[in-house]
Amino acid sequence: MKRCKLSDLDSLFALISSKRELYLPVDGTDGRAHYSAWHEGVELSQKTNTVRSAKDFFFPQSEDLVEFRLSGNSISISDIRTEKDDFVLFGVRACDARSFEILDRVFLCEPVDSFYASRREHALIMTLACNRPSETCFCSAFGIDAANPGGDIECRMDAEYLYLEARTDKGSAFMAELSNPLESCAEDAADDIIKLIQDRIAGLPIGELPLDEFGAGTTEKYFSDTAWKKLSESCLGCGSCTYTCPTCQCYDIKEFDTGKAIKRYRCWDSCMYSEFTKMSAGQPRPTQLERFRQRFMHKLVYFPENNEGIFGCVGCGRCLIGCPISMNIVKVIRALGGKEDE
């Protein structure tokens, strides 16, 4: 276990930045936290979470895949990806750290997504425990401990120090490169912080949800439930929940004529959109009810069915904050699981 005085935090960031590009949550002009590259004068945000998750670093909203050029009767194909140098993500919360494990199950299974895999390989994750979790947080419902967020290097903070503990070989190797302003401390130096956070988590209003009612083998139970009609009728289909979600992984592949070449690119898509998975034969989910049901069935039933019971949600609360009509997965779980939202 190492620690750094908060008064020396900029020195630590400068040291990390001298070795690898460093990104961390920063307050934007809109008053909300966003990930940004660190440079002198940039301050770590004290917000509970960023507006958009750290997923963007591994699965960006839009990325170029390949380029086609026609010359006479021949076509040349060029790999136009931009390789990422080694970088550090600091301040990742426990919910987002868990989301990486979920995304790994999608993009690192065969056939491996080489674009995603390359970014994951170049990243070093420094998590930060949530001292003041928000009332919209419910990560504990999914077995996530905000006081022990994981990652390559696990960090916790009190009023005086930042505590750092390596959790992986990659984290240990990187911490060995960091000398001043770090100093050694007792292995139990952060125990009081852990207890404080866990006590606060236990007092959150939506920390307990009837998840035992969902998971593998429940498709037939919920697919035709009449509650979907009432739950979905006010949904605007705007997709804000999917675009702020750290675990959503749907995308579309499109092509664009630049005037000199055809560029193929990948961009996020949303199961809440009317043209999602639309084919020449038509739209497999023509109604908003069906699209709404697909999103939540995937999180609560389909994904755990195929991933050893792991749910496709991490309880970050972003969908609770971002939805313009206050519909969210918590209300769906309570309505279908037998505990109506009060």
Side-chain angles (χ1 to χ4, degrees):
M1 177 88 72
K2 301 284 187 178
R3 70 182 184 183
C4 170
K5 290 183 179 180
L6 296 189
S7 58
D8 292 330
L9 201 55
D10 279 347
S11 297
L12 175 62
F13 290 156
L15 178 60
I16 294 173
S17 184
S18 70
K19 299 177 180 298
R20 305 184 185 188
E21 194 160 11
L22 170 63
Y23 298 92
L24 72 174
V26 174
D27 289 338
T29 55
D30 58 358
R32 302 185 297 175
H34 307 265
Y35 277 99
S36 178
W38 183 88
H39 56 81
E40 189 173 351
V42 168
E43 294 185 5
L44 175 68
S45 173
Q46 299 303 309
K47 300 288 193 301
T48 301
N49 229 330
T50 51
V51 176
R52 287 183 23 167
S53 76
K55 172 182 77 174
D56 295 35
F57 288 94
F58 308 112
F59 176 41
Q61 187 169 345
S62 178
E63 63 181 327
D64 295 332
L65 302 178
V66 68
E67 188 175 79
F68 303 91
R69 288 180 180 269
L70 179 64
S71 178
N73 293 324
S74 64
I75 298 177
S76 63
I77 304 175
S78 303
D79 186 340
I80 55 175
R81 76 179 74 190
T82 302
E83 286 293 342
K84 190 76 175 175
D85 293 329
D86 289 347
F87 65 100
V88 174
L89 277 181
F90 180 87
V92 176
R93 301 301 191 183
C95 51
D96 283 357
R98 174 66 67 84
S99 78
F100 301 153
E101 299 176 20
I102 293 173
L103 295 174
D104 286 352
R105 288 175 171 269
V106 176
F107 293 110
L108 297 184
C109 67
E110 292 297 334
V112 172
D113 187 308
S114 59
F115 291 82
Y116 177 89
S118 176
R119 294 188 180 98
R120 286 288 278 137
E121 183 179 344
H122 285 291
L124 184 135
I125 309 300
M126 296 182 69
T127 58
L128 181 61
C130 299
N131 282 18
R132 295 190 177 278
S134 169
E135 289 188 352
T136 56
C137 297
F138 55 104
C139 63
S140 59
F142 295 96
I144 300 170
D145 186 354
N148 296 285
D152 296 305
I153 298 175
E154 196 171 59
C155 301
R156 303 176 185 87
M157 188 182 291
D158 62 16
E160 188 176 359
Y161 290 101
L162 174 74
Y163 299 90
L164 303 89
E165 183 176 6
R167 307 299 295 179
T168 66
D169 291 341
K170 182 190 286 189
S172 295
F174 188 68
M175 277 188 64
E177 299 179 32
L178 307 177
S179 52
N180 289 330
L182 296 186
E183 61 184 30
S184 297
C185 62
E187 292 300 312
D188 62 353
D191 284 2
D192 287 345
I193 306 171
I194 293 173
K195 184 180 186 307
L196 175 66
I197 295 172
Q198 291 176 339
D199 287 345
R200 286 173 173 170
I201 289 288
L204 292 179
I206 51 176
E208 294 184 9
L209 296 171
L211 291 172
D212 289 346
E213 300 295 321
F214 298 90
T218 59
T219 299
E220 185 175 352
K221 176 180 179 180
Y222 292 118
F223 191 83
S224 299
D225 198 303
T226 57
W228 290 118
K229 184 176 186 304
K230 181 179 179 182
L231 288 167
S232 65
E233 60 187 6
S234 59
C235 178
L236 304 177
C238 68
S240 64
C241 53
T242 55
Y243 272 56
T244 58
C245 178
T247 65
C248 278
Q249 66 264 176
C250 292
Y251 62 85
D252 197 1
I253 293 179
K254 299 183 178 183
E255 292 177 347
F256 174 72
D257 187 349
T258 67
K260 297 180 179 180
I262 302 298
K263 184 175 292 185
R264 180 173 293 171
Y265 65 97
R266 169 164 69 181
C267 57
W268 290 356
D269 205 348
S270 171
C271 57
M272 303 298 270
Y273 293 162
S274 60
E275 293 192 355
F276 180 71
T277 65
K278 186 176 181 179
M279 300 172 285
S280 59
Q283 167 58 277
R285 303 184 192 95
T287 67
Q288 189 60 43
L289 184 153
E290 292 169 292
R291 296 190 287 273
F292 182 94
R293 178 180 61 195
Q294 166 63 25
R295 169 169 168 73
F296 295 106
M297 287 287 284
H298 180 261
K299 300 285 187 190
L300 300 170
V301 179
Y302 305 153
F303 193 86
E305 178 85 53
N306 295 294
N307 290 277
E308 294 85 46
I310 297 173
F311 290 101
C313 175
V314 293
C316 70
R318 288 184 176 93
C319 60
L320 279 72
I321 297 170
C323 181
I325 54 96
S326 298
M327 177 49 66
N328 54 69
I329 195 169
V330 172
K331 289 184 177 180
V332 171
I333 291 171
R334 286 178 166 173
L336 297 177
K339 183 178 180 181
E340 292 289 346
D341 194 20
E342 295 178 358

